[in-house]
């Protein structure tokens, strides 16, 4: 399955890529398919069935909200996040919704939206089925699977997912192939990623879109640093980024740019993004929503504390290089393991984001391809076995703080790799396969089901 960097970095809405972004995309696709079949106007009822992890933690992750917004025809990259509560209230008060913002049907949430908490569809733990009716006649039914990072496959596509691909000029299936192609052509990892992206867009368009991805990330940091209050969901978790920002901003410049004080800023950047995510704000999946703060925090660290235009060149070029490198590493995990916590635990989210960020940072600091691969390997090796056990099914505890840990670990991984010569005992492919095997062996209660770990042992549960 060929993957574009823009499938790993998608502008969306919080709090979850697999439980919010994916279901919204799936619901929107369902009503589009319904319209294409000429059955939209005949439909008078739609039923949604959520299975597995989507059912077990769907309320906390906003899956119910997401499918309703998708049925209205809303898309996660363009929806006005400030209008969501008003739209939901209107559906509840009127017991009606406009399919694709065009055809009005009756909708009773308690009747038409079902959480099957004890059932899993066999293909994937994040499964959902949509059904359209005209009276008692079922007009159309389709199942979809949210496979992580906002990727969605229909039941038909899931069975043939390896065949759904754009032929890339320099496709690679593992890190060994990636490194070999780079060596053959004298390219960096970012160069190779750019050559493949040119199968979809012009080089200028790729650069401009990636720069815009960073600007959205940066805006998420900025918003998060100024928003206060309690995060929604019932855990009464206070937002901390604004207070921390005010505290750090009072430091003299010479103090804030030294030693461990820099790590306080890195933690702030990650906190800011993931508090925005938890508050259903605008963020970039990188490669998921639950891990959306790691890569922005590490890029912000580079931009604010490392980048020197005379030494490193134009900032835009460096940010593009970071994201292309990180994207190439993320593709390896997507192809050979998973970026879904519902499949492999949080090692597939924070772990992958850390690995991607480690590689991106090593690359923009002048690391060789071997050092960059080593950084990616270190970033994942020390996240192996990381479980996903969100309290209350919300992307708040331990998820928000976990992003700060992932960002700091990524910086350390890059520094360790750059201190070496690129030679290392454990290849990146081996650590990816280990992560995959560990995820398979991990009990389901630690895979975004809120049935184990902190989710059942914390006082606030």
């Amino acid at each position: 399955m060929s993957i574009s960097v823009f499938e790993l970095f998608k502008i969306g809405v919080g709090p979850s890529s697999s439980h919010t972004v994916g279901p919204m995309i799936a619901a929107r696709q369902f009503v589009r398919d319904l319209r294409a079949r000429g059955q939209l106007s005949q439909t008078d009822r739609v039923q949604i069935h959520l299975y597995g992890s989507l059912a077990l933690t769907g309320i906390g992750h906003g899956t119910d909200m997401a499918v309703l917004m998708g049925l209205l025809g809303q898309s996660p990259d363009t929806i006005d996040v400030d209008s969501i509560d008003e739209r939901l209230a209107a559906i509840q008060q009127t017991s009606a919704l406009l399919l694709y913002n065009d055809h009005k049907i009756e909708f009773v949430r308690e009747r038409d939206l079902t959480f099957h908490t004890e059932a899993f569809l066999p293909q994937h733990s994040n499964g959902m089925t949509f059904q359209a009716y005209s009276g008692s006649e079922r007009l159309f039914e389709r199942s979809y699977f949210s496979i992580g990072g906002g990727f969605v496959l229909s039941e038909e596509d899931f069975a043939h997912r390896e065949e759904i691909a754009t032929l890339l000029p320099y496709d690679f299936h593992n890190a060994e192939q990636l490194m070999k192609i780079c060596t053959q052509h004298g390219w960096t990892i970012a160069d190779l990623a750019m050559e493949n992206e040119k199968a979809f867009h012009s080089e200028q368009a790729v650069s401009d879109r990636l720069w815009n991805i960073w600007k959205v990330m940066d805006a998420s940091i900025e918003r998060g640093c100024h928003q206060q209050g309690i995060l929604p969901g019932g855990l009464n978790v206070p937002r901390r980024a604004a207070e921390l920002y005010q505290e750090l901003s009072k430091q003299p410049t010479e103090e804030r740019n030294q030693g461990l004080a820099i790590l306080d800023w890195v933690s702030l950047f990650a906190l800011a993004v993931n508090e925005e995510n938890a508050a259903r704000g605008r963020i970039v999946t990188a490669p998921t929503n639950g891990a959306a703060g790691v890569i922005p925090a590490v890029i912000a660290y580079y931009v604010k504390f490392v980048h020197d235009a005379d030494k490193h060149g134009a900032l835009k070029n460096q940010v593009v290089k970071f994201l292309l490198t990180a994207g190439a590493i993320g593709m390896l995990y997507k192809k050979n393991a998973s970026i879904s916590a519902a499949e492999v635990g949080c090692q597939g989210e924070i772990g992958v984001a850390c690995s991607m960020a480690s590689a991106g940072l090593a690359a923009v600091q002048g690391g060789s391809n071997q050092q960059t691969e080593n950084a990616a390997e270190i970033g994942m090796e020390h996240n192996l076995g990381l479980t996903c056990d969100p309290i209350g099914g919300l992307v708040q505890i331990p998820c928000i703080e976990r992003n700060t840990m992932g960002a700091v670990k990524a910086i350390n991984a890059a520094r360790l790799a750059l201190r070496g010569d690129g030679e290392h005992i454990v290849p990146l492919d081996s650590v990816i396969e280990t992560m995959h095997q560990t995820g398979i062996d991990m009990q389901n209660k630690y895979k975004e089901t809120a049935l184990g770990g902190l989710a059942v042992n914390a006082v606030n549960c």
Side-chain angles (χ1 to χ4, degrees):
M1 181 170 63
S2 301
I3 304 171
S4 166
V5 67
F6 297 107
E7 295 177 76
L8 292 165
F9 300 119
K10 293 191 288 291
I11 298 171
V13 59
S16 171
S17 50
S18 59
H19 286 59
T20 311
V21 174
M24 191 183 300
I25 292 171
R28 185 172 187 267
Q29 186 59 51
F30 176 74
V31 291
R32 289 181 58 156
D33 291 343
L34 195 60
R35 186 177 67 169
R37 292 164 58 92
Q39 296 175 315
L40 185 65
S41 61
Q42 303 171 42
T43 301
D44 57 27
R45 183 163 56 97
V46 168
Q47 288 194 321
I48 308 105
H49 300 271
L50 303 174
Y51 297 92
S53 180
L54 292 183
L56 288 163
T57 60
I59 295 294
H61 284 70
T63 306
D64 49 344
M65 170 276 293
V67 294
L68 295 182
M69 293 302 102
L71 291 175
L72 293 176
Q74 295 296 311
S75 178
D77 60 335
T78 58
I79 188 172
D80 177 5
V81 295
D82 294 326
S83 73
I84 292 176
D85 287 338
E86 182 180 345
R87 293 174 188 268
L88 290 175
I91 293 171
Q92 187 69 26
Q93 291 167 6
T94 63
S95 296
L97 59 77
L98 281 176
L99 287 180
Y100 211 64
N101 199 34
D102 177 52
H103 177 63
K104 188 175 182 179
I105 65 168
E106 181 182 52
F107 186 86
V108 179
R109 178 190 171 100
E110 294 74 18
R111 179 193 69 189
D112 298 324
L113 179 58
T114 305
F115 293 81
H116 299 275
T117 55
E118 296 183 358
F120 287 73
L121 295 183
Q123 295 91 334
H124 195 277
S125 54
N126 288 335
M128 64 202 107
T129 300
F130 296 85
Q131 299 168 332
Y133 290 87
S134 177
S136 60
E137 179 188 0
R138 185 180 300 173
L139 299 174
F140 181 47
E141 175 179 325
R142 181 157 287 170
S143 294
Y144 300 87
F145 303 94
S146 181
I147 61 174
F151 287 79
V152 173
L153 294 175
S154 68
E155 187 170 9
E156 295 79 4
D157 290 341
F158 193 92
H160 303 285
R161 58 192 182 279
E162 296 302 328
E163 302 167 17
I164 304 171
T166 297
L167 292 178
L168 299 178
Y170 304 100
D171 203 1
F172 54 89
H173 300 286
N174 53 51
E176 182 180 1
Q177 290 180 355
L178 169 65
M179 300 293 281
K180 185 177 294 185
I181 296 171
C182 287
T183 299
Q184 288 173 346
H185 294 273
W187 289 338
T188 65
I189 293 173
D191 291 335
L192 172 56
M194 176 61 84
E195 289 300 316
N196 281 334
E197 287 302 318
K198 285 157 65 174
F200 304 99
H201 312 284
S202 69
E203 183 170 343
Q204 186 63 52
V206 173
S207 294
D208 290 345
R209 287 185 66 185
L210 287 173
W211 181 247
N212 185 58
I213 289 291
W214 160 240
K215 299 308 290 184
V216 175
M217 289 177 172
D218 194 33
S220 297
I221 294 174
E222 180 68 19
R223 285 196 307 272
C225 285
H226 293 89
Q227 299 297 315
Q228 297 179 318
I230 302 297
L231 293 172
L235 287 181
N236 295 319
V237 175
R239 297 181 72 138
R240 292 180 289 169
E243 183 177 349
L244 180 58
Y245 173 73
Q246 293 172 5
E247 179 182 335
L248 294 178
S249 297
K250 294 175 182 178
Q251 296 176 329
T253 302
E254 60 273 13
E255 289 184 18
R256 73 174 68 171
N257 292 341
Q258 292 181 0
L260 294 179
I262 294 177
L263 296 186
D264 292 337
W265 284 93
V266 174
S267 294
L268 167 65
F269 302 147
L271 281 175
V273 172
N274 280 83
E275 287 179 355
E276 278 296 293
N277 179 61
R280 213 163 57 195
R282 177 78 63 212
I283 52 86
V284 174
T285 62
T288 68
N289 284 33
V294 175
I295 289 174
V298 176
I299 296 179
Y301 158 77
Y302 173 78
V303 169
K304 299 178 185 299
F305 298 105
V306 178
H307 180 259
D308 182 332
D310 292 333
K311 180 179 179 181
H312 300 118
L315 180 59
K316 178 180 178 180
N317 293 341
Q318 289 294 90
V319 169
V320 169
K321 182 176 184 177
F322 186 113
L323 290 172
L324 285 171
T325 305
I329 298 302
M331 292 173 197
L332 296 173
Y333 288 98
K334 183 63 183 172
K335 291 179 179 181
N336 299 304
S338 174
I339 57 171
S340 169
E343 281 192 296
V344 295
C346 200
Q347 57 175 356
E349 299 205 17
I350 291 294
V352 173
C354 179
S355 183
M356 293 169 66
S358 303
L361 183 59
V364 296
Q365 290 189 272
S368 66
N369 288 340
Q370 290 73 24
Q371 289 172 317
T372 299
E373 187 221 10
N374 188 200
E377 183 274 325
I378 295 171
M380 173 53 75
E381 185 176 339
H382 304 289
N383 280 292
L384 290 173
L386 192 61
T387 61
C388 181
D389 51 353
I391 296 178
L394 297 165
V395 190
Q396 297 181 16
I397 302 172
C399 318
I400 295 174
E401 285 184 356
R402 191 167 282 176
N403 276 262
T404 72
M405 300 297 133
V408 171
K409 194 177 292 186
I411 294 170
N412 194 38
R415 290 176 64 85
L416 282 171
L418 291 172
R419 292 287 184 183
D421 60 6
E423 293 293 326
H424 50 288
I425 294 174
V426 180
L428 178 57
D429 285 329
S430 294
V431 84
I432 293 174
E433 177 57 25
T434 301
M435 186 271 268
H436 187 211
Q437 293 174 0
T438 302
I440 293 172
D441 293 339
M442 190 181 292
Q443 295 182 43
N444 281 333
K445 67 181 181 179
Y446 299 119
K447 297 182 185 180
E448 208 168 5
T449 59
L451 296 176
L454 287 175
V456 299
N457 290 316
V459 174
N460 287 328
C461 180

